[in-house]
Amino acid sequence: MGLSYYECFDAAEYVLDALANIGEHWSCLIGGMAAKLHGVDRVVKDLDIAVLRPDSSEEDIQDALVDYDSSRFYLERPRDRRASFYKLMYRIPDTTHVIKVDLLLGDNLDAEIPRTFHRNHFVEIDGLRVAPLYFVLYHKLLGWDLRTDDRRLWKRDQANEKDYPDIIALCKIIYRLGMRPLSKGHMGREYLDNYQRRAESIASYYNDRNLARRQLRRIGFNV
């Protein structure tokens, strides 16, 4: 039996608290767990956490979490033995289950987290710090873009089978709330331009379906 939602929720709560306890207070959920908390009907298999003002490198933060609680945190080599990094894993107490924890550091340009994104922009859902809807959608579009361009078939499959449904669901929720993601001028011009460009990319890719194009238009994108 796989991870339950409640196990993922408890893991997210513990990881966020652990990050705060090691000094990383500007941290929030992003990715699949954030989408789930915002109302997307999906299965959660890992945790993505944005660390906006990191005091250390990703490796040092991973090490600090393992030092903080080695009964729950540990490092694991990726399947690709040529990789020079380790994955951060979290053990679910009193079970054999584990969940991968991905840290997206604000000073990593590939994460595309604007400096103007502040912890005051976090929203609290069921006691957890979560990225706002407009930023969760942005990072889902970013993830889709990266996986679609990946040479590995399983990555491209993830873009179609996981990212695409999440993006459509997030667009519907944003529409119901009357939100316009491109109205968030505090995120900066480069962020907004990239947002529009990524929306155009997915709308063109799925042109035969028109669903992505229709949903993105309804929330203010020119696609």
Side-chain angles (χ1 to χ4, degrees), residues 113-180:
I113 300 175
R115 288 287 299 174
T116 52
F117 185 47
H118 193 276
R119 63 181 176 183
N120 289 344
H121 301 137
F122 297 169
V123 296
E124 186 172 303
I125 303 177
D126 295 336
L128 298 181
R129 298 187 304 278
V130 185
L133 260 174
Y134 60 86
F135 199 50
V136 176
L137 176 59
Y138 179 90
H139 264 267
K140 277 292 173 181
L141 287 167
L142 170 60
W144 176 89
D145 215 2
L146 294 173
R147 280 188 269 271
T148 300
D149 288 340
D150 200 288
R151 60 180 176 81
R152 292 165 291 184
L153 178 60
W154 66 274
K155 284 284 190 181
R156 299 197 300 275
D157 286 344
Q158 280 188 333
N160 290 313
E161 297 168 8
K162 297 181 179 180
D163 295 328
Y164 178 78
D166 282 350
I167 289 165
I168 297 301
L170 287 166
C171 285
K172 291 179 178 179
I173 295 169
I174 289 171
Y175 177 73
R176 288 200 302 269
L177 294 174
M179 185 184 296
R180 290 293 185 267

Side-chain angles (χ1 to χ4, degrees), residues 40-53:
V40 175
D41 184 12
R42 71 176 329 271
V43 174
V44 178
K45 294 185 176 180
D46 56 20
L47 298 176
D48 296 312
I49 297 180
V51 183
L52 302 193
R53 303 287 190 273

Side-chain angles (χ1 to χ4, degrees), residues 46-63:
D46 56 20
L47 298 176
D48 296 312
I49 297 180
V51 183
L52 302 193
R53 303 287 190 273
D55 289 330
S56 308
S57 67
E58 181 178 357
E59 293 79 7
D60 287 344
I61 294 173
Q62 289 179 331
D63 290 342

Side-chain angles (χ1 to χ4, degrees), residues 58-59 62 75-78 81 83-88 101:
E58 181 178 357
E59 293 79 7
Q62 289 179 331
L75 299 177
E76 180 177 285
R77 288 290 297 273
R81 294 303 178 182
S84 59
F85 62 91
Y86 284 82
K87 297 186 296 183
L88 179 64
V101 180

